Amino acid sequence: MDHRAVDQADRINARNSPVLQYCGGGVSPEMQAPKLLWVKENLQESWSMACRWMDLSDWLAYRATGDDTRSLCTTVCKWTYLGHAHMGQWRELDSRDMEACGWDEVFWEEIGLGDLVEGNRAKIGRSVAFPGHALGSGLTPTSAKELGLLPGTPVGTSLIDAHAGGVGVMESVPEAESKADLSDEEAICRRMVLVCGTSTCHMAVSKNKLFIPGVWGPFWSAMIPEYWLTEGGQSATGALLDYIVENHAAAPLLANHAASQSVSIFELLNKILLSMAHEQNIPFLSALSQDTHVLPDFHGNRSPVADPKSKGVICGLTLDTSEKYLALLYLATIQGIAYGTRHIVEHCNAHGHKIDTLLACGGLAKNSLYIQEHADIIGCPIILPRENESVLLGASVLGAVAAKKFSGIHDAMKSMNAAGKVVHPSSDPRVKKYHDAKYKIFRSLYEQQLSHRSTMAQALQ
């Protein structure tokens, strides 16, 4: 969520380097090239002292094993590494350290970070490997002692946390939801995983590379080896719901009531909404928000308009400070987030994907109202995995592959993923009509914002 490097991202994107087509047409301030440029320009002493720059997950693997092999996931998704440079050279079954031939050194020099590729790219990675590749000789004696495990315990090349969630859930499809007329390869390419936490990542795979403006990727083998990854996202989802609730006048009273009932604040809000729908005798709960519309870009828009300068909008505020009104704002915010996901799904499908099934994991996936609103708004069934902690399950897949228990990531996923509940969209045509209308308003809020920006920019000339 660190957006300090917006200016650096703008300058990098203005150069129009060929590598940018593989991250949706331009780097995000959430990626490493603009962040590193920000550090170089603002923290020169730290910059001069650093001997390596690493993603957290690569650092943890290095700390555990002493092996500085980077993951195709981290380098491709965050560092502009071109993973497809390895296509045809290596197969996952041959997985071993691969010389990092996917760095575009001209790009790094052009953006003012040429010092990172000096010395055979030692500071950012000389070798890479598929996720789940066994690193070094496993846990070093020191790391094993610190973790209470045995020296030599296999450690797999890492995945970014959200991508581990994707590996932990993408094959969690019950028999009843499987499409008999599709091969396994075709079926997995029709799914999108929502890893729902502070922010939300939207991940889909394809056998062919699909260039989608404003959506990160295509990233080769960045999550599932030999599949291209498309990665959408919303920069603030759980964080936005927390913000809406915690900054409302009714928040302290709501927290006290939730504590007295031994439920979470969000469970209590869901109860309040059900009660309101009953009291007002409305046809379906979603209709409570008919006068309240939210554009959830409070921390910019990651996908699909890729505008880090976008701002949040709440339309329909009143002077009401009650718990019931807070519940309405909470509902409208959930819907705004779901409309954002619908926008991402529609945009991906318009550019070659055929997504018709969603899988959800993460903290927000445990909120029944959140998931039902997403199903109704997007019009797709949403499958929840049997294992609540899907990111941890994805990490265990890496360990299992590194320990040679499976031949590769996809085989391990098929064995270790398992489906739980399936949430279907409402069959009530009134619900669809309602959300289609609100979705039009949602899309117009951003268009209005662009118009307002232009008006003010002209006024300040």
Side-chain angles (χ1 to χ4, degrees), residues 49-129:
M49 291 170 61
C51 63
R52 283 183 175 90
W53 295 96
M54 309 179 83
D55 253 75
L56 173 62
S57 47
D58 281 330
W59 157 252
L60 291 171
Y62 170 69
R63 179 72 176 77
T65 65
D67 185 341
D68 187 18
T69 297
R70 309 297 175 95
S71 167
L72 273 177
C73 178
T74 57
T75 52
V76 172
C77 293
K78 294 289 189 177
W79 295 73
T80 71
Y81 186 83
L82 302 176
H84 51 282
H86 300 284
M87 287 180 73
Q89 296 181 357
W90 309 98
R91 295 183 301 115
E92 184 191 5
L93 297 180
D94 302 328
S95 191
R96 63 187 219 189
D97 298 352
M98 301 183 287
E99 183 181 350
C101 60
W103 294 115
D104 185 325
E105 296 190 2
V106 173
F107 165 76
W108 291 94
E109 289 165 1
E110 283 182 348
I111 67 172
L113 295 175
D115 41 339
L116 293 181
V117 294
E118 294 171 358
N120 196 26
R121 304 168 297 276
K123 288 189 175 182
I124 56 175
R126 288 177 172 172
S127 64
V128 297

Side-chain angles (χ1 to χ4, degrees), residues 273 276 280 282 284-294 315-316 325 327-336 339 373 377 434-435 438 441:
L273 289 168
M276 290 170 65
Q280 296 179 29
I282 59 171
F284 48 89
L285 184 146
S286 301
L288 286 168
S289 67
Q290 60 184 294
D291 295 325
T292 312
H293 309 281
V294 175
C315 176
Y325 191 69
L328 282 181
L329 284 177
Y330 159 75
L331 173 61
T333 304
I334 286 177
Q335 291 170 343
Y339 298 133
E373 289 296 302
I377 285 166
Y434 177 82
H435 285 304
K438 281 206 77 173
I441 295 171

Side-chain angles (χ1 to χ4, degrees), residues 375-390:
D376 292 346
I377 285 166
I378 301 159
C380 293
I382 300 183
I383 301 168
L384 302 174
R386 186 176 68 192
E387 170 53 59
N388 278 334
E389 302 299 339
S390 298

Side-chain angles (χ1 to χ4, degrees), residues 293 335 338-347 377 433-445:
H293 309 281
Q335 291 170 343
Y339 298 133
T341 293
R342 174 172 168 175
H343 193 189
I344 291 168
V345 172
E346 289 183 354
H347 188 68
I377 285 166
K433 182 180 179 182
Y434 177 82
H435 285 304
D436 285 348
K438 281 206 77 173
Y439 181 59
K440 286 182 182 177
I441 295 171
F442 165 84
R443 294 289 297 271
S444 74
L445 291 175

Side-chain angles (χ1 to χ4, degrees), residues 363-374:
L364 291 176
K366 299 171 186 177
N367 183 329
S368 59
L369 177 67
Y370 187 90
I371 295 300
Q372 187 64 60
E373 289 296 302
H374 274 69

Side-chain angles (χ1 to χ4, degrees), residues 131-163:
H133 161 73
L135 289 169
S137 300
L139 283 179
T140 63
T142 300
S143 295
K145 184 177 180 181
E146 290 173 342
L147 295 170
L149 298 169
L150 296 175
T153 299
V155 177
T157 311
S158 66
L159 286 163
I160 297 168
D161 50 1
H163 300 63

Side-chain angles (χ1 to χ4, degrees), residues 12-13 16-28 31-33 72-87 101-104 107 160 163 204 206-223 227-232 303 306 353:
I12 290 170
N13 291 334
N16 205 27
S17 168
V19 303
L20 300 179
Q21 65 181 311
Y22 287 93
C23 44
V27 293
S28 160
M31 292 179 179
Q32 312 311 23
L72 273 177
C73 178
T74 57
T75 52
V76 172
C77 293
K78 294 289 189 177
W79 295 73
T80 71
Y81 186 83
L82 302 176
H84 51 282
H86 300 284
M87 287 180 73
C101 60
W103 294 115
D104 185 325
F107 165 76
I160 297 168
H163 300 63
S206 59
K207 288 303 286 185
N208 301 314
K209 57 183 174 183
L210 300 172
F211 294 98
I212 305 175
V215 179
W216 297 354
F219 300 137
W220 186 73
S221 290
M223 188 170 76
Y227 283 80
W228 293 89
L229 172 66
T230 292
E231 184 184 347
S303 305
H353 278 286

Side-chain angles (χ1 to χ4, degrees), residues 227-425:
Y227 283 80
W228 293 89
L229 172 66
T230 292
E231 184 184 347
Q234 292 166 287
S235 295
T237 50
L240 176 57
L241 289 171
D242 288 343
Y243 174 84
I244 292 294
V245 172
E246 291 168 5
N247 284 279
H248 193 272
L253 184 62
L254 184 75
N256 288 338
H257 287 167
S260 68
Q261 296 178 38
S262 300
V263 296
S264 73
I265 285 176
F266 299 109
E267 287 176 290
L268 182 53
L269 285 167
N270 291 352
K271 282 185 178 180
I272 292 171
L273 289 168
L274 284 170
S275 174
M276 290 170 65
H278 180 72
E279 288 170 9
Q280 296 179 29
N281 196 29
I282 59 171
F284 48 89
L285 184 146
S286 301
L288 286 168
S289 67
Q290 60 184 294
D291 295 325
T292 312
H293 309 281
V294 175
L295 181 69
D297 295 353
F298 285 55
H299 200 51
N301 183 287
R302 188 188 297 172
S303 305
V305 297
D307 181 359
K309 297 176 183 176
S310 183
K311 302 292 187 288
V313 176
I314 301 177
C315 176
L317 289 173
T318 76
L319 292 176
D320 192 337
T321 59
S322 69
E323 287 181 327
K324 287 184 176 181
Y325 191 69
L326 173 53
L328 282 181
L329 284 177
Y330 159 75
L331 173 61
T333 304
I334 286 177
Q335 291 170 343
I337 292 168
Y339 298 133
T341 293
R342 174 172 168 175
H343 193 189
I344 291 168
V345 172
E346 289 183 354
H347 188 68
C348 288
N349 284 347
H351 287 82
H353 278 286
K354 297 178 181 178
I355 297 158
D356 60 14
T357 302
L358 302 181
L359 301 102
C361 63
L364 291 176
K366 299 171 186 177
N367 183 329
S368 59
L369 177 67
Y370 187 90
I371 295 300
Q372 187 64 60
E373 289 296 302
H374 274 69
D376 292 346
I377 285 166
I378 301 159
C380 293
I382 300 183
I383 301 168
L384 302 174
R386 186 176 68 192
E387 170 53 59
N388 278 334
E389 302 299 339
S390 298
V391 173
L392 299 185
L393 181 60
S396 71
V397 165
L398 300 177
V401 172
K404 310 300 182 190
K405 300 295 183 184
F406 297 96
S407 62
I409 293 284
H410 205 176
D411 286 344
M413 289 167 61
K414 286 184 176 181
S415 177
M416 297 171 70
N417 286 189
K421 183 180 180 182
V422 180
V423 178
H424 291 279

